[in-house]
Amino acid sequence: MSFFDKFKAGVSEAGNKAKTVVEVNRLKLQNSGKQSEIDKQYQAMGKQLFEATLQGLPLQADAYAVNMTRILALKAEIEANLEQITAMGDVKICKGCSSSVPADARFCPNCGHTFEAPREP
């Protein structure tokens, strides 16, 4: 293989890695937005609870059903994004703090979350 072939292969590999990094960052940004939406849903639920309590109304679980459904859907979307990020490379995403961790790590260096040991078939 000539120098230029090696150079071309290296540039191609760098481009592919850059695409992966961009995609991972895009998914992380999406997750951040989804987490903000979850926080807004929690805030709306708290406001509903406060106003109902202030007015002396009985608490009704079905009043929060829309918020709860939206929160569960957003959490599922975040989990799907995390799985997609994990599938893209030699990193995994900590479920405790959402930081990127090497795939072979047993603990998160940021929050100490313990990862499950990979199961062999």
Side-chain angles (χ1 to χ4, degrees):
M1 188 182 275
S2 72
F3 169 76
F4 290 111
D5 290 336
K6 288 180 183 179
F7 180 74
K8 184 178 174 183
V11 169
S12 177
E13 183 180 338
N16 289 338
K17 286 187 179 185
K19 286 179 186 177
T20 301
V21 168
V22 167
E23 182 66 14
V24 166
N25 286 333
R26 183 186 69 79
L27 291 169
K28 284 183 177 182
L29 185 61
Q30 279 184 0
N31 282 356
S32 178
K34 292 176 190 306
Q35 187 60 51
S36 294
E37 177 65 24
I38 288 172
D39 293 341
K40 287 178 186 176
Q41 294 295 321
Y42 284 138
Q43 191 175 25
M45 290 171 68
K47 184 177 181 181
Q48 287 175 339
L49 174 65
F50 176 79
E51 289 175 356
T53 304
L54 199 62
Q55 296 174 7
L57 300 173
L59 300 178
Q60 308 231 349
D62 60 338
Y64 305 105
V66 172
N67 301 98
M68 292 170 64
T69 302
R70 181 70 180 139
I71 289 170
L72 292 174
L74 288 166
K75 285 186 175 193
E77 291 172 15
I78 288 173
E79 187 63 33
N81 283 351
L82 291 175
E83 288 174 8
Q84 193 174 355
I85 290 170
T86 301
M88 281 185 205
D90 55 353
V91 297
K92 56 186 169 187
I93 303 300
C94 176
K95 292 183 182 180
C97 66
S98 297
S99 62
S100 298
V101 180
D104 59 347
R106 296 183 68 194
F107 300 95
C108 175
N110 294 327
C111 70
H113 176 78
T114 304
F115 298 109
E116 290 183 24
R119 296 180 184 149
E120 295 189 23

